[in-house]
Amino acid sequence: MLKEKVVVITGASSGFGKGAAQECGRQGARLVLAARRADLLEELATECRSEGVEALACPTDVSRREEVERLAQAAIDRFGRIDVWVNDAGVGALGPFERIPIEIHEQVIATNLMGTIYGSYCAYRQFLAQKSGVLINIASELGYGSVPYYSSYTAAKHGVTGLSDSLRQEVKQNKIEGVHICTIMPTAHDTPFFDHAANYTGHEITAPKPLHDPQNVVDAIVRVAQDPEDKEVVGADGKVKLALSNVLPKVAEKIGAKQMHKTQMEKPPAANDSKGAVPAPMHEGREVSGGRRG
C-alpha cells in the first residue's frame, strides 16, 4: 500500500502525472507535485488536501537542474524521505527533422531526457542513503521502436529506456536491496500530449490509433509503485509491435513508417507551425484526458 509513502511526481499538472497524483492520494500517499504550471499544481494540491491528503506543490521546470534539486530538497525538508519518484514530465515535437527548429529539438531533449536524468540522480542518491525507494521513469513505446516525424522525442525516450536499464543493472550487480528502477512504456494514450506538442508537420496533429484510455497508464504507475517491475509496456498494440520488431525488424520499421506518414502527413487538414508547450507552458490541456476518444 501507498499509505504514508512520500511520492514525488513530475509532470503533475495534466495527463498521466495528474492521474497518478490523484490515485496515489486516494491511497493515502503524501504527495510532492511538480510541473511548470504553478496555478494548476496548486489547484491539484488543494483538491488533494480537501480529501485529507498531504500535498506539496513545487513549480518545477525539469530541464533546469537546480529546480529539480530544489524539488528533491523540498520533499526531504517537508517529509524527511522520498519513497517513490515518478519522472513523467515530457514534451514532443512533430514534423520532418529538418523543419523543426534546432532549439525545439534541444528543449525536447532537455525536458524528456535531461529532466529524467536530473530526477533520477536526485532520487537515486536519496534512495541509497535511506536504503529503499522506487524510481519510475515514464518512457514510451518509442523508447524501443521508432516512427518518422517524432525524431527528437524518439531519441529522448530511447535515452530514458537506456538510462533505466543501465541503472537497474548497477542495482542488481551490486545487490542493492530495497531500491527498484522501473520503466513504463505507454503506447498512444489520450492525454493532452497532442495539445502540447510542437507542430511542424504542416498539418493538424492527429493522434495515432488505437488511442487508449490514460487510466491504463495511471493504474500501471500506481501498481508498479507498490509492486515494482523492471519494465511494463502499456497497450496491447505496443506489445505486438515489440514482438514484431524483435522477429522482423525491417518489416516492423516499414509498417510503422507507412502508418505514421499516412496518419500525420496525408490525411489531416493544413495547419500553421506551432511551438506548442515545448519552450513554455500553455493554458490548454489541463486534465488527465485529452478528450479525443469521445
Side-chain angles (χ1 to χ4, degrees):
M1 294 294 292
L2 291 176
K3 187 173 177 60
E4 299 299 318
K5 298 291 187 181
V6 179
V7 180
V8 179
I9 303 175
T10 71
S13 61
S14 65
F16 303 142
K18 181 174 184 176
Q22 292 170 326
E23 188 58 38
C24 288
R26 293 186 189 104
Q27 298 203 20
R30 295 179 288 176
L31 303 175
V32 182
L33 308 174
R36 293 178 297 177
R37 294 183 288 184
D39 57 334
L40 298 188
L41 272 189
E42 191 54 49
E43 284 181 16
L44 178 58
T46 300
E47 172 192 325
C48 293
R49 293 180 198 125
S50 72
E51 298 176 0
V53 177
E54 289 187 79
L56 177 65
C58 296
T60 305
D61 182 342
V62 299
S63 70
R64 299 178 180 273
R65 176 170 54 86
E66 64 276 11
E67 294 193 21
V68 180
E69 291 171 344
R70 187 166 64 240
L71 168 65
Q73 191 60 51
I76 297 301
D77 290 346
R78 176 68 175 271
F79 297 114
R81 62 183 293 111
I82 300 169
D83 296 297
V84 180
W85 185 296
V86 182
N87 282 313
D88 176 63
V91 293
L94 280 62
F97 179 66
E98 76 283 358
R99 287 207 66 241
I100 299 173
I102 191 63
E103 61 269 20
I104 297 295
H105 283 308
E106 289 174 335
Q107 188 60 48
V108 170
I109 297 296
T111 299
N112 295 9
L113 179 54
M114 294 310 301
T116 300
I117 289 175
Y118 298 149
S120 297
Y121 189 80
C122 291
Y124 186 63
R125 287 166 65 91
Q126 179 62 28
F127 293 164
L128 292 179
Q130 65 193 31
K131 296 182 170 51
S132 66
V134 179
L135 175 64
I136 302 175
N137 288 333
I138 309 302
S140 166
E141 64 171 312
L142 298 184
Y144 59 79
S146 64
V147 292
Y149 314 119
Y150 283 70
S151 51
S152 50
Y153 180 83
T154 299
K157 291 303 185 179
H158 271 72
V160 170
T161 300
L163 167 69
S164 302
D165 288 351
S166 179
L167 187 52
R168 187 183 307 111
Q169 287 176 304
E170 288 188 32
V171 168
K172 293 184 176 181
Q173 179 63 32
N174 291 287
K175 297 180 173 58
I176 301 173
E177 301 293 337
V179 176
H180 304 275
I181 313 299
C182 310
T183 313
I184 293 179
M185 297 177 284
T187 57
H189 284 71
D190 185 16
T191 72
F193 171 85
F194 300 102
D195 299 315
H196 296 161
N199 183 10
Y200 294 88
T201 65
H203 302 269
E204 292 181 5
I205 289 180
T206 301
K209 294 180 180 180
L211 190 63
H212 300 285
D213 184 347
Q215 187 63 39
N216 297 336
V217 179
V218 170
D219 291 344
I221 293 170
V222 176
R223 182 172 61 253
V224 169
Q226 298 174 86
D227 185 15
E229 296 181 17
D230 289 352
K231 297 181 183 179
E232 182 168 341
V233 178
V234 184
D237 54 313
K239 296 173 184 177
V240 171
K241 292 174 189 175
L242 177 59
L244 183 61
S245 65
N246 287 333
V247 178
L248 297 169
K250 290 184 179 180
V251 173
E253 188 172 289
K254 184 176 181 179
I255 291 173
K258 185 175 182 179
Q259 288 178 337
M260 181 54 67
H261 184 82
K262 185 175 183 180
T263 296
Q264 186 55 61
M265 305 300 285
E266 292 183 354
K267 289 186 173 182
N272 294 326
D273 292 347
S274 168
K275 295 180 181 180
V278 174
M282 57 195 297
H283 180 77
E284 293 82 357
R286 304 161 61 94
E287 304 300 330
V288 176
S289 172
R292 289 176 173 78
R293 298 176 73 244

